[in-house]
Structures are given as structure tokens and as C-alpha cells.
Amino acid sequence: MNLKEYFSRIHFVGSYDTADLTTLNQIHEQHVKHIPFENLSIHSGEKIVTNIEACFDKLIKKKRGGWCSENNSVLAWVLKKLGYDITLLGACVYDTRKKAYPTMKTHIIIKVVIDGNTYIADVGFGFSKQIRQPLAMISGKDQPQIPGIFRLTEENGFWCVDKISRKNHPEQSYHDPSLLEKSNVVKMYGFTLEPFSIEKFDSCLSYLQESPESLFTNKSICSLQTTDGLRTLVGWTYGEITYKYKEDMDLVIFKTLTNEEVEYTLKEKFGITLENKLVPVNNAIYFTV
């Protein structure tokens, strides 16, 4: 594990001598544009683990992607090596079906303190709800980024992250709207400032990659941020979103792939070559890109 390998993987060529906000923003954005968010290990005969060496080997050396614990643990290691003041936090992903925040912390984020100011870094949420740069921990402040407007709100020590999206303009040839958000205000996750170790995440690993109720066992997913949008793969459905295609509107294009096209698309669009055979899955469970 070394920084040069990481910076080469994310195509970062700037200076990292100073642990400041500018450097953090650049690293964060480069990470999400070059390392996919994906759960393909579950559907190709692999186990997802929290060991930092294994995560680094997978994401950096094998040029794979990963989910929250893998992406954010690697970023946390990098930031700590660079001298940033960081703390891992556990978050509860909002359950749209139940309209509530569950008690299980199935997401990991990073609190970063710079010159007395606090930010939330997160390179492991994926799809259109992926922040490009860390969010300032200021309750009620709108923070515009390329995907939309993000907002943190705090009440009695519980912080919530929401995203205000633009309207979607799907290509006319695509008739399945189930992957698109119907609300322009999307609740993402909630958290407190209680430190959360990566070892605590082990307790929910089995649920996330084995339970029939887990999103990740029901769908094989992958996403990668681009300069002006993102690429997505859900089961056999490949998508491309161009942000702000028109004023207050995003262009969405979907295409159904064959099994052979899935493998080709992973390599050409996401830079992923799997060691084992992928079995795409797209069961009927709520999920939007």
C-alpha cells in the first residue's frame, strides 16, 4: 500500500504537500470519477471484507470498484497518511419504502476537520446521489454540486443528508420508469457524530451480502461518475445520465444488454475486468439510479 499507487489509480497529478480543503476536494472528485461504486463481488463468487489491505488490493491494484466500506476505508487511509484529521462515522441509509431511517448502520462516511471547520467526505454512495466533493457540516445550507443540490440538516444531534434533484428527461425509446426518482427531494442517510470503527461494520456485512432482503443480493449494480454525469449498470440495464442537459433537467438514456454485452460494458465503460463469471441480477426491489 502506498500513496503513489492510489494517486495513479485516480489520475491525481496535483500537489498533496498541504492537508487543506482544496487538496481534499480534488482527491475526492478524482476518486469518484475513476473508482466505481459496485457490488459485483457478491454476484461473482467473491466475499466482501473490511480488511484495508484487501480493499486497497481490490480497488487500486486490481482496478475494481467497491461499496461504501471499501471506497471510504481506502480514502480514509489516504487522508490519514496525508495528515488530515479524520474520524469514521456510521450512517443509516433512508428506507424509502418504510419512510424511515433504520437503526442498522449500513453505510460508512468520513468526518474531516480542517482549520476548525468540519466536512463530510463520502466516495462510497454511488449513482446520482454521489457527492463530488465533501459537504460542509452546516445545517440547512444548500450546497450545489454537479449532480444537484445537497443539504445537511441537524436536529437533536442527528444529521440528515438530502439531495434536491433536477427533473429527468428519459430517452423516448425507454419505457420503464422504475429506475428513476419520482421525487425531486431525496433523503439519503442520517448519522450522529459518534465515532464508528471499521470493525463495527463487520456486524452487518453478512446481512448486506447474504440476506434475501438486502438490496445488494437482489441487484448487481455498478456506477461511475463522469465529468458531466454518470454511467450505471443495474442487472442487464446500462444507463448514461447527462446532468443539466437542459435548464433544470437531466438527460437519461437506458439500454438493455445481453450477458455478453454486460461483460464488455463493464470493461469498456467502467474499466472493470472480473476474475470470475458474473451472474447479473435485477430482482423486483425498490432502487433508483
Side-chain angles (χ1 to χ4, degrees):
M1 291 171 54
N2 66 70
L3 291 174
K4 288 186 178 180
E5 285 182 296
Y6 173 78
F7 290 136
S8 175
R9 173 77 168 97
I10 68 169
H11 297 211
F12 177 76
V13 295
S15 170
Y16 51 89
D17 295 333
T18 305
D20 57 15
L21 181 59
T22 299
T23 303
L24 175 62
N25 285 341
Q26 292 173 348
I27 291 173
H28 196 287
E29 185 150 15
Q30 286 298 107
H31 186 118
V32 299
K33 287 166 63 176
H34 292 283
I35 302 181
F37 173 88
E38 50 106 331
N39 72 335
L40 304 178
S41 291
I42 298 174
H43 304 285
S44 58
E46 300 172 353
K47 281 287 186 180
I48 296 175
V49 297
T50 56
N51 176 274
I52 182 59
E53 287 82 8
C55 293
F56 192 92
D57 183 69
K58 177 183 175 182
L59 274 61
I60 309 306
K61 296 182 179 180
K62 294 182 179 178
K63 301 186 184 304
R64 283 281 304 277
W67 63 15
C68 70
S69 64
E70 297 170 297
N71 273 293
N72 282 328
S73 63
V74 168
L75 178 62
W77 177 84
V78 170
L79 296 181
K80 192 171 183 178
K81 292 283 286 185
L82 293 177
Y84 285 93
D85 178 2
I86 68 159
T87 305
L88 290 180
L89 304 177
C92 308
V93 178
Y94 187 78
D95 190 328
T96 303
R97 294 167 296 174
K98 298 180 179 179
K99 296 182 179 181
Y101 295 97
T103 57
M104 184 184 296
K105 295 179 179 179
T106 58
H107 187 53
I108 291 179
I109 58 178
I110 309 168
K111 183 184 76 170
V112 188
V113 179
I114 303 174
D115 296 330
N117 298 312
T118 305
Y119 304 87
I120 292 299
D122 181 4
V123 292
F125 205 67
F127 293 86
S128 63
K129 294 179 279 294
Q130 175 62 60
I131 60 174
R132 295 298 184 96
Q133 297 180 347
L135 300 175
M137 283 196 67
I138 302 174
S139 182
K141 178 182 178 181
D142 286 352
Q143 302 187 52
Q145 295 190 8
I146 293 173
I149 298 173
F150 293 93
R151 181 187 299 150
L152 280 161
T153 55
E154 182 270 339
E155 184 175 353
N156 298 323
F158 189 75
W159 291 80
C160 300
V161 183
D162 299 336
K163 181 199 171 193
I164 303 171
S165 305
R166 290 176 289 270
K167 298 176 183 177
N168 290 311
H169 177 69
E171 190 182 46
Q172 292 183 353
S173 61
Y174 188 77
H175 303 290
D176 182 6
S178 64
L179 288 174
L180 299 178
E181 289 285 354
K182 296 177 178 59
S183 172
N184 70 318
V185 179
V186 180
K187 295 183 181 296
M188 293 169 50
Y189 52 80
F191 62 94
T192 68
L193 299 183
E194 178 184 359
F196 188 81
S197 68
I198 195 69
E199 289 75 22
K200 292 181 180 178
F201 194 74
D202 282 331
S203 63
C204 67
L205 267 184
S206 296
Y207 168 80
L208 291 175
Q209 55 189 329
E210 296 175 13
S211 171
E213 296 181 359
S214 169
L215 163 69
F216 297 114
T217 60
N218 281 279
K219 293 184 184 292
S220 53
I221 59 178
C222 184
S223 75
L224 184 66
Q225 309 299 308
T226 62
T227 300
D228 59 355
L230 75 151
R231 299 167 185 158
T232 68
L233 182 64
V234 181
W236 296 266
T237 302
Y238 173 71
E240 292 186 359
I241 296 178
T242 303
Y243 290 133
K244 216 167 185 180
Y245 158 72
K246 293 181 179 178
E247 189 63 31
D248 198 34
M249 186 172 292
D250 298 335
L251 177 65
V252 182
I253 299 174
F254 286 119
K255 178 184 178 181
T256 302
L257 308 177
T258 64
N259 284 332
E260 292 73 20
E261 288 174 327
V262 167
E263 183 177 348
Y264 175 82
T265 299
L266 281 173
K267 182 176 181 180
E268 293 299 313
K269 297 296 185 179
F270 302 93
I272 292 177
T273 300
L274 297 173
E275 295 179 354
N276 302 320
K277 181 71 174 179
L278 174 69
V279 180
V281 178
N282 191 13
N283 294 331
I285 187 172
Y286 181 82
F287 177 75
T288 59
V289 300

